[in-house]
Each structure stands twice: as C-alpha cells, then as structure tokens.
Amino acid sequence: MDQQREKASAIAHEFVVYQESEQSDIKAEEKAFDALWQSIYDVCKLINFGIIDDITQEEFEEAYSWLKATQSLTEDYQDFELEF
C-alpha cells in the first residue's frame, strides 16, 4: 500500500487544485497521505460551492476522480461519503 500512496501522492501534487490547497501534507509528520487527501477534498468543496472559481471543470473532475480512486488508501476517510 505504501507504493500506491507514493504514486497517488505524486499524481495529486501535480493537480492545480493542490496548488490552491493548504498543502498540509508537507507539514504533517503522521498520516501525510490523509492530510493530502483532505486538502484536495477541501478545495473541491470550495470549488463546488463557488468560493473558488478559477479552476476549470476538467481540473475539478481530475481531482474528484483521484479522491474516489484513492479513498481506500486513507486511514481516516475510507468510510467518508464524498459530497459533490
């Protein structure tokens, strides 16, 4: 699972939405992947509510797809319901 998290993290760090996030995974000593996942989720929520409006639909879809695909790699968000 560590290799999957590393690969998923590398992909997420390239997202435009990650650049908009607080990038808390950089500061996290434990559960860095969960912090990364939560950062991407938070920005997607802000996009969905229209608070962030300079992200394209394609960029949003890319991040949302990543959230769904990698949710099982998290420790704390496996049963979390994505609300978009």
Side-chain angles (χ1 to χ4, degrees):
M1 181 151 11
D2 286 338
Q3 284 183 329
Q4 290 175 312
R5 283 185 182 151
E6 287 177 28
K7 184 177 178 181
S9 295
I11 291 168
H13 284 125
E14 297 297 319
F15 292 154
V16 171
V17 297
Y18 177 71
Q19 303 306 315
E20 294 290 326
S21 76
E22 63 186 28
Q23 301 176 0
S24 61
D25 63 301
I26 294 171
K27 303 170 202 152
E29 292 183 29
E30 292 183 27
K31 297 186 180 184
F33 188 77
D34 277 33
L36 171 62
W37 196 93
Q38 180 65 47
S39 290
I40 300 294
Y41 175 81
D42 289 346
V43 172
C44 285
K45 288 290 279 189
L46 294 173
I47 294 166
N48 193 50
F49 288 134
I51 295 169
I52 295 176
D53 60 2
D54 60 344
I55 302 295
T56 67
Q57 185 65 30
E58 181 179 306
E59 291 165 340
F60 172 82
E61 294 290 333
E62 178 181 56
Y64 180 67
S65 293
W66 179 87
L67 286 169
K68 290 190 317 185
T70 61
Q71 187 171 9
S72 65
L73 301 175
T74 66
E75 293 181 41
D76 294 337
Y77 301 109
Q78 290 187 8
D79 297 324
F80 188 77
E81 188 172 331
L82 293 175
E83 302 172 8
F84 298 112

